[in-house]
Amino acid sequence: MLVCPELLRRLNAFGFLDTDANPGIHEDPFTGQIIEVTKEERNDHGLMLKNDCSFLVLSCGSIEKLKEIQRYTGWIDVPFIADNDFSISSSLYLNIQDAEIMPAILFIDEDLRVETVAAGRMVGLYKERELLMYLAPRRTKAELTSTWFLMQADRLIQQLNVVEIFPMNHILPLEIFDTVFRNLPLTDLAAVGAVSKSFRSIVSFILKDTIRKQKSKMGTHFGGVYNWGEIKSAPELQQNANYLALTKVANFVVLFP
């Protein structure tokens, strides 16, 4: 992020930090404009700002000047990078005649792809809304995907509950097979379950246990109410949902004769 300090303070008002005496309120020192953010908005926006992205602040200026901005905004724990030779900003095509850096909000994903969220800034127009509008669809998609897979997981558990328990006619005790099977890739368990009815019983138990544990890690957010465990970032939520998608192998298990 290439910023002026007021963008950072405005993001605080939207829920990133509670550093001001009046959380949810930002007064523009240049225009006198006051914005007020409701508690519900702070909860929703803060969820995205705190969990769905990490910030880096790129600027030119002395180290002491950047530290002063950190103290002024409360962004003490956020890395500030002094790009005085414009080497970083030029690689992002944001330097202006090698004399200054164009204000902008950039998003860099896990594959180091760079997207421009907003470019340019002026007094009273800090582009915080553009950032929130960029993050919101990512959160919504992750939560909707997660919700669907949670419903599918419940359905699979119900299906696995009907798998009959068959006695083990093997020399090794049940606990040995359970330990060995748990170290197999999830996608291989269906093949193991096809070996015998007793193996199918063990595999069904392992799948149910795996699904329940993964469900507890999801952490989703609906209408300001947090449930299903701890709150997760959108990428982590999506990763957990993708993992739950692998429980489709349980469909093969319950269909075995």
Side-chain angles (χ1 to χ4, degrees):
M1 182 184 295
L2 313 175
V3 301
C4 85
E6 294 312 313
L7 170 61
L8 308 187
R9 293 188 62 228
R10 194 159 278 197
L11 291 178
N12 289 346
F14 278 96
F16 182 64
L17 288 177
D18 291 327
T19 57
D20 296 331
N22 298 304
I25 297 177
H26 174 256
E27 181 176 356
D28 192 325
F30 303 108
T31 66
Q33 178 192 22
I34 297 176
I35 63 165
E36 297 187 25
V37 184
T38 66
K39 183 178 180 180
E40 291 74 17
E41 289 178 316
R42 282 176 57 80
N43 287 340
D44 291 339
H45 297 320
L47 176 68
M48 297 185 295
L49 294 172
K50 295 176 183 177
N51 294 279
D52 294 352
C53 59
S54 298
F55 289 96
L56 291 172
V57 177
L58 184 68
S59 180
C60 51
S62 67
I63 298 297
E64 186 53 44
K65 181 63 176 178
L66 296 188
K67 289 182 177 179
E68 182 181 332
I69 295 175
Q70 281 184 305
R71 292 190 292 267
Y72 173 69
T73 60
W75 285 44
I76 301 297
D77 297 326
V78 176
F80 277 57
I81 302 172
D83 186 30
N84 291 319
D85 63 358
F86 304 102
S87 59
I88 300 176
S89 57
S90 62
S91 68
L92 297 171
Y93 304 102
L94 290 173
N95 61 318
I96 302 175
Q97 297 180 346
D98 293 328
E100 57 182 309
I101 300 174
M102 177 189 297
I105 302 174
L106 306 179
F107 187 89
I108 304 175
D109 66 15
E110 297 85 352
D111 298 318
L112 300 182
R113 290 188 296 262
V114 180
E115 294 185 39
T116 300
V117 176
R121 196 166 300 128
M122 58 185 295
V123 171
L125 187 63
Y126 301 109
K127 304 295 182 73
E128 75 281 353
R129 297 283 182 178
E130 282 80 351
L131 175 59
L132 296 172
M133 290 175 64
Y134 180 87
L135 293 174
R138 295 165 56 86
R139 162 62 57 171
T140 301
K141 179 181 177 181
E143 289 192 0
L144 290 175
T145 302
S146 301
T147 304
W148 188 86
F149 279 124
L150 283 168
M151 295 171 61
Q152 292 296 100
D154 287 333
R155 180 183 64 81
L156 289 173
I157 288 176
Q158 292 177 359
Q159 286 182 294
L160 290 166
N161 283 334
V162 304
V163 175
E164 297 182 56
I165 304 300
F166 289 92
M168 294 290 295
N169 296 317
H170 302 280
I171 298 176
L172 294 175
L174 172 64
E175 292 78 9
I176 297 296
F177 285 102
D178 184 276
T179 301
V180 172
F181 292 172
R182 285 181 186 274
N183 288 314
L184 294 174
L186 191 61
T187 49
D188 290 345
L189 284 177
V192 173
V195 173
S196 67
K197 292 181 177 180
S198 55
F199 276 15
R200 183 177 66 179
S201 297
I202 300 174
V203 168
S204 297
F205 178 81
I206 293 173
L207 284 172
K208 284 190 291 184
D209 188 47
T210 302
I211 293 170
R212 290 192 180 105
K213 288 179 180 179
Q214 196 64 24
K215 279 184 61 180
S216 69
K217 297 179 181 179
M218 293 298 287
T220 52
H221 164 265
F222 298 95
V225 178
Y226 302 106
N227 49 35
W228 281 319
E230 298 177 355
I231 301 304
K232 303 294 183 181
S233 68
E236 187 176 3
L237 198 60
Q238 190 69 50
Q239 181 181 4
N240 287 342
N242 291 341
Y243 184 85
L244 270 179
L246 293 178
T247 59
K248 63 185 179 182
V249 301
N251 282 322
F252 298 101
V253 177
V254 298
L255 292 177
F256 291 147

